[in-house]
Amino acid sequence: MQKLTLLFLFLLGTSAYTQHQHSISGKITDVQNQPIAVGDVLLFSRQNDTLLKYGSIVDGRFSLQNIAVGSYRLRISCLGFESVEEDLDLYKNIALTIQLTESAVDLDEVEIIAAKPIVTNENGNLRIDVTNPVFSSIPDPIELLARLPNLQISYDREAVAVIGKGTPLIYLGNQRISLEELNAISVDAISAIEIIKNPSVKYEADGRAVLLITLRISDTEGVKANLYETVSFRQNFNNYYSLNGSYKKKKMTLKANFGYNDLQTWESHQFEFGIPEAAVFTDYLVLIDPNKRTQINSGGGIFYQINSDDYFSANATVRLQTDEFTIDTDTFLRQELQIDNVITKTKNDNTKDFVSGNFNYNKKLSSNSNVFTGVQYSSFIQRLNTKISNNFNESGFERAQDREQKYRIDVLAYRFDLVGKFKNNMKFEFGSNFSYAKANAFTNILFFESNSMANTDFDYSEKNLAGYAQLSGNIGKKINFNAGLRLENNTVRGEVEAIDIPVVNRMNTNLFPKVMLNFQIDSTKNLTLNYSRSIERPNYSRASSISSFINPFLEGAGNVNLRPTFAEELSANFQVKNSSLSINYLRRKNPMFFTIGYKDNDDMAVLSLRNLQRESGIDIALTMPVSKGSYTSNNSVTLSSRRIEDKNTVSKSAKPYLYFFTDHQFKIGKDTTISFGGWALTKRVQGIFERNAMVVLNSTITKTFFDKLHCSLRFNDITGAMNFEERYSINGVNAEGVYFADAQELAFSMKYTFGKIKDPNYKNKDVDENLDRIQ
């Protein structure tokens, strides 16, 4: 039956169509041909006057991207000038030159206050304008993601998830990047973030959603730089500094950024668990206060526009982090009749070094075909030295272990995409991806009590070869299709050097079909149906032998036997203007979750990522962005139900729960913005797991002085409620605990902009849609 379904979807894909995407760009001047500094660009549907796109004029230039073929009305509005409207029939990229006439109305005492839309919603996919002063004042990308709708950040700030979709792929233009690479990018360099809930087959199958990062571009020549500082008060004091700038000369653009963060992070969690069959019960509290963390984030890139369609770009990123911290753990441990109270001190010296570089080339082969190719290399090295001492029952501290661990991974990736356009707006795309990852995890442990040593040297390699084909276009005026098939071959090998037989040796070939069907009901309403099959592979570091000591009976460790998770989804999205209602059904096999496990006669329990049997669920989501005058808001609510099951436990009945997100921004005067909002989750009973309810509130005030100095004051997690509680029973272990997030914050930021820019000496008459994706 599954094979027949795949064959049906593939045959449907061979007859599928969708709309092609184009861009509208322009140069705006006055009657003396001087560029107009600022203004607004609005794109309306010619059929019903619905606002479809909003953009800004900066130094006489604007650019609107990802616009479908159709008939539109473009409005140019600049303070002190007469507004201009033009009707456009868009079937290719358009570059305009528009001259405005000064308004006859005396504006000396008139102040126009308006706020541009922050969030645009298209078929359930959200595009967030990061140039908004509330977002651009945030010091690092993880903090930025935490303020966006439908995104959740883990308590340790090491992972991001999309509500109802799990861990997303992260793309910078056409290139996939890691969370480490995103952290090294200055927020000020980001133009927009798009949350794509149903990505096409051109994206890797390893993800059910995509975060598409778009960088800012400059159409004016000269030098521009931003100097930035943030002081943050959480449990401890933190300081962020950054400098980023750009230089543009004719066809070449250079960009660079440097950031230095002096942080004192705070971490804590409390857990208790029992193993009835082994007559074991333990309750422990972990505290890290402070972790002296230093981060250096830097990067640079070059973008060269060969002609109006062809370009190449290169980019390098470096992220260096050092941590010096002591973990204090207070443990109550009962093993049969033996009771111990143990205080553990673990002194840690940790470094993380990440380096990445890529090169991209885009070539227009003909008026109907385009090719993109890119290559990327990334390297990550972590060193962790640990000294562990235990104090049993107030008898004094005794050295227990010394650990030296090193983890290194190198990844080489290549991408090729070819797009061909045919008559009747039909488009055929195919491409390939290749990646090769090689990792090594080395652990050396010295046991003081037995005066012995243990060494583990684990090698891991993974190859992934993929190809895809996608046919898209439109049939008639009311129906759009997009269907494709992706083929991925994955080879994984893991071995301990002292053992001849590989611990892990897998090779799998899988098909991942995706189909989209869109019905245009009328000028303001449409219905979109989606089917997709995807895979979630474990992070390289999770499938390694690296471990961490928590207390004498519990250790955190990787799991070399992790298997990938397969998912199938069906969804429908009904959109009215800028609001949408969607329903999504999900079924997953071998889902991965962190749990505590114990084997008979073992000395310790292990906290690690494990595969469970299956997960199923449904999400019903309502999204309502609003923009009117000086007020903008984004509101979303999701009703969800999840049932997680495993053969080794008895699951409880799943209960529906709600996720709320709301954000409201008021523009007061032309230089001041006030923001207030937050998010909430009700109690979640998801079969095996029970998780707590949370209500998190945030507020921001931003003010610009002299057009150069931008200041902001942020209040995060005002309620102090971001504590993650969970309870579960699995494999004979009954556990419950809470992870405390250091999220309550008072932060003050200042950004000063300096530099001189001038009008460029050349004109772009046909701007490629990827020009704003400098990598």
Side-chain angles (χ1 to χ4, degrees):
M1 183 66 183
Q2 184 181 18
K3 293 182 178 178
L4 290 175
T5 302
L6 292 174
L7 178 61
F8 170 76
L9 293 171
F10 178 74
L11 293 175
L12 178 61
T14 61
S15 63
Y17 303 82
T18 195
Q19 290 182 322
H20 182 54
Q21 305 290 302
H22 295 290
S23 66
I24 301 173
S25 61
K27 175 182 176 181
I28 311 299
T29 67
D30 59 18
V31 292
Q32 281 81 36
N33 288 322
Q34 295 300 311
I36 295 175
V38 293
D40 298 317
V41 182
L42 299 92
L43 188 69
F44 298 89
S45 168
R46 204 188 298 175
Q47 296 178 340
N48 59 3
D49 270 355
T50 300
L51 177 62
L52 303 176
K53 292 277 185 179
Y54 177 91
S56 296
I57 298 169
V58 179
D59 301 315
R61 295 282 177 171
F62 75 88
S63 179
L64 302 177
Q65 303 289 332
N66 302 323
I67 309 170
V69 172
S71 298
Y72 302 97
R73 180 167 54 83
L74 184 73
R75 179 187 298 169
I76 306 295
S77 179
C78 300
L79 186 63
F81 294 87
E82 299 285 352
S83 296
V84 170
E85 293 189 0
E86 288 195 16
D87 290 337
L88 302 174
D89 292 315
L90 187 66
Y91 57 90
K92 65 177 183 179
N93 293 342
I94 293 178
L96 304 170
T97 299
I98 298 175
Q99 206 172 70
L100 300 185
T101 304
E102 290 188 10
S103 173
V105 179
D106 186 2
L107 296 176
D108 287 344
E109 296 182 2
V110 177
E111 183 179 45
I112 298 177
I113 301 172
K116 67 178 181 178
I118 299 169
V119 176
T120 54
N121 178 19
E122 185 174 353
N123 297 328
N125 300 324
L126 302 180
R127 182 179 174 86
I128 298 97
D129 178 17
V130 181
T131 63
N132 175 274
V134 173
F135 294 146
S136 62
S137 65
I138 296 174
D140 69 84
I142 289 294
E143 285 295 326
L144 171 64
L145 296 182
R147 294 292 299 269
L148 301 186
N150 299 325
L151 295 185
Q152 288 281 285
I153 305 301
S154 63
Y155 75 95
D156 58 1
R157 296 164 53 85
E158 297 289 337
V160 59
V162 178
I163 293 292
K165 289 289 185 176
T167 304
L169 302 175
I170 304 175
Y171 265 76
L172 182 64
N174 287 326
Q175 202 86 43
R176 183 179 176 181
I177 64 173
S178 66
L179 194 61
E180 288 286 342
E181 287 172 282
L182 177 61
N183 273 326
I185 298 174
S186 168
V187 172
D188 192 64
I190 300 174
S191 171
I193 295 178
E194 187 172 359
I195 305 171
I196 303 174
K197 291 189 175 180
N198 292 288
S200 70
V201 295
K202 70 181 296 183
Y203 298 102
E204 283 87 345
D206 187 14
R208 296 156 50 214
V210 169
L211 296 185
L212 181 59
I213 312 297
T214 303
L215 298 183
R216 297 195 190 197
I217 60 171
S218 175
D219 286 326
T220 53
E221 292 192 358
V223 178
K224 185 176 182 180
N226 294 310
L227 183 62
Y228 191 99
E229 181 181 3
T230 294
V231 292
S232 166
F233 300 90
R234 299 194 180 197
Q235 291 283 352
N236 299 306
F237 177 77
N238 301 281
N239 220 171
Y240 303 81
Y241 305 91
S242 68
L243 173 65
N244 63 78
S246 64
Y247 169 76
K248 184 176 179 65
K249 182 69 172 179
K250 295 183 178 180
K251 297 183 178 183
M252 181 179 68
T253 300
L254 300 175
K255 287 193 172 185
N257 67 279
F258 178 82
Y260 177 82
N261 301 330
D262 184 9
L263 312 177
Q264 298 186 73
T265 64
W266 180 94
E267 296 179 41
S268 181
H269 75 270
Q270 182 272 330
F271 244 84
E272 64 179 51
F273 65 92
I275 309 171
E277 291 186 3
V280 172
F281 175 82
T282 183
D283 184 357
Y284 71 90
L285 173 66
V286 172
L287 177 63
I288 303 174
D289 185 20
N291 173 8
K292 297 178 181 179
R293 174 175 295 172
T294 300
Q295 293 175 335
I296 296 176
N297 302 317
S298 62
I302 180 173
F303 175 84
Y304 187 81
Q305 185 174 337
I306 301 170
N307 54 44
S308 59
D309 299 293
D310 305 337
Y311 67 86
F312 72 82
S313 64
N315 189 75
T317 300
V318 177
R319 179 177 170 85
L320 308 176
Q321 178 175 307
T322 62
D323 298 89
E324 294 182 9
F325 58 97
T326 298
I327 303 176
D328 293 305
T329 307
D330 192 348
T331 304
F332 170 82
L333 176 60
R334 184 179 68 231
Q335 295 175 280
E336 295 183 342
L337 300 177
Q338 176 70 33
I339 295 177
D340 291 300
N341 291 285
V342 188
I343 298 175
T344 302
K345 281 192 176 293
T346 306
K347 296 183 178 181
N348 299 272
D349 185 3
N350 183 41
T351 64
K352 294 181 179 181
D353 299 335
F354 177 82
V355 178
S356 180
N358 62 58
F359 177 85
N360 296 328
Y361 177 64
N362 188 83
K363 174 68 176 177
K364 187 172 184 179
L365 302 177
S366 68
S367 59
N368 295 317
S369 61
N370 190 85
V371 64
F372 171 87
T373 185
V375 63
Q376 183 173 15
Y377 169 77
S378 300
S379 178
F380 175 78
I381 301 174
Q382 180 178 5
R383 295 178 178 87
L384 176 60
N385 296 325
T386 306
K387 299 181 185 299
I388 303 166
S389 300
N390 292 316
N391 180 353
F392 280 82
N393 305 311
E394 300 183 348
S395 61
F397 282 97
E398 293 184 5
R399 182 77 69 86
Q401 297 178 20
D402 279 0
R403 297 188 179 192
E404 294 181 0
Q405 299 187 90
K406 179 181 177 181
Y407 176 76
R408 174 169 183 161
I409 181 167
D410 298 279
V411 182
L412 180 66
Y414 172 77
R415 182 182 186 92
F416 173 84
D417 299 293
L418 180 64
V419 179
K421 307 170 191 174
F422 305 96
K423 61 181 180 179
N424 299 324
N425 296 322
M426 188 167 66
K427 182 171 68 170
F428 179 72
E429 300 173 76
F430 75 90
S432 63
N433 302 79
F434 171 78
S435 66
Y436 176 67
K438 185 174 179 61
N440 174 262
F442 176 78
T443 300
N444 179 53
I445 304 178
L446 171 62
F447 299 94
F448 284 87
E449 184 177 357
S450 61
N451 194 26
S452 61
M453 296 186 68
N455 294 314
T456 304
D457 198 344
F458 182 77
D459 291 321
Y460 178 92
S461 65
E462 181 172 334
K463 295 179 183 178
N464 194 55
L465 178 62
Y468 73 89
Q470 180 171 272
L471 189 64
S472 54
N474 63 299
I475 297 179
K477 297 181 179 180
K478 297 290 185 179
I479 302 176
N480 304 319
F481 289 90
N482 183 330
L485 187 66
R486 186 177 185 90
L487 176 71
E488 291 194 357
N489 176 266
N490 181 256
T491 303
V492 177
R493 184 180 178 89
E495 57 188 2
V496 178
E497 289 195 357
I499 303 175
D500 294 333
I501 301 174
V503 178
V504 182
N505 192 11
R506 294 193 302 264
M507 184 174 71
N508 299 291
T509 301
N510 295 285
L511 292 173
F512 301 99
K514 294 190 177 184
V515 177
M516 183 278 288
L517 178 64
N518 177 266
F519 300 92
Q520 193 72 33
I521 299 172
D522 59 31
S523 58
T524 62
K525 305 180 188 69
N526 68 78
L527 175 66
T528 304
L529 305 177
N530 287 280
Y531 167 80
S532 67
R533 184 172 188 262
S534 61
I535 189 172
E536 180 184 355
R537 298 186 177 92
N539 290 341
Y540 301 120
S541 60
R542 299 298 185 191
S544 75
S545 60
I546 294 295
S547 62
S548 60
F549 187 93
I550 299 175
N551 66 37
F553 193 74
L554 181 63
E555 183 160 298
N559 184 355
V560 299
N561 296 309
L562 280 173
R563 302 185 304 277
T565 300
F566 290 91
E568 284 189 288
E569 292 180 274
L570 285 170
S571 65
N573 184 85
F574 178 67
Q575 181 151 348
V576 179
K577 296 183 179 179
N578 204 30
S579 299
S580 64
L581 176 67
S582 65
I583 183 169
N584 186 81
Y585 172 75
L586 163 71
R587 183 174 62 193
R588 297 209 300 164
K589 180 182 178 182
N590 302 325
M592 292 176 281
F593 293 93
F594 277 100
T595 61
I596 296 173
Y598 177 77
K599 295 181 180 179
D600 292 340
N601 302 319
D602 279 0
D603 294 330
M604 302 183 73
V606 176
L607 172 64
S608 67
L609 202 60
R610 289 182 171 84
N611 291 109
L612 302 183
Q613 192 170 4
R614 60 180 170 265
E615 177 186 1
S616 59
I618 189 168
D619 302 293
I620 303 173
L622 176 65
T623 302
M624 296 181 296
V626 176
S627 181
K628 187 174 183 180
S630 61
Y631 169 72
T632 64
S633 75
N634 182 50
N635 309 281
S636 63
V637 58
T638 302
L639 174 65
S640 298
S641 177
R642 285 288 185 279
R643 183 172 177 82
I644 302 165
E645 302 173 87
D646 191 80
K647 61 183 179 181
N648 296 315
T649 188
V650 177
S651 300
K652 298 181 180 180
S653 298
K655 296 182 180 179
Y657 59 92
L658 287 169
Y659 164 81
F660 299 92
F661 176 91
T662 187
D663 182 73
H664 306 267
Q665 294 193 17
F666 302 87
K667 194 172 179 63
I668 302 174
K670 66 176 183 177
D671 296 323
T672 304
T673 302
I674 297 177
S675 168
F676 180 81
W679 58 270
L681 275 167
T682 62
K683 184 178 179 180
R684 290 150 288 163
V685 180
Q686 302 170 311
I688 294 175
F689 297 95
E690 291 185 45
R691 296 186 169 100
N692 64 307
M694 286 183 284
V695 178
V696 178
L697 301 177
N698 309 300
S699 183
T700 302
I701 303 171
T702 69
K703 173 70 175 178
T704 300
F705 301 92
F706 318 115
D707 296 325
K708 294 286 186 178
L709 181 61
H710 311 272
C711 300
S712 69
L713 184 64
R714 298 193 309 280
F715 305 88
N716 292 327
D717 190 16
I718 297 171
T719 54
M722 201 180 295
N723 299 318
F724 298 80
E725 301 174 14
E726 69 175 10
R727 179 185 296 111
Y728 59 85
S729 297
I730 187 169
N731 292 327
V733 178
N734 305 319
E736 64 175 298
V738 56
Y739 297 93
F740 303 100
D742 187 16
Q744 193 170 45
E745 178 188 38
L746 171 63
F748 177 71
S749 300
M750 292 188 300
K751 180 178 72 174
Y752 184 75
T753 302
F754 57 94
K756 185 177 182 180
I757 56 178
K758 63 179 182 178
D759 190 47
N761 296 324
Y762 73 100
K763 297 180 181 179
N764 274 339
K765 294 186 177 180
D766 192 10
V767 180
D768 184 88
E769 64 181 13
N770 289 315
L771 287 183
D772 59 346
R773 296 171 178 176
I774 301 174
Q775 300 172 44

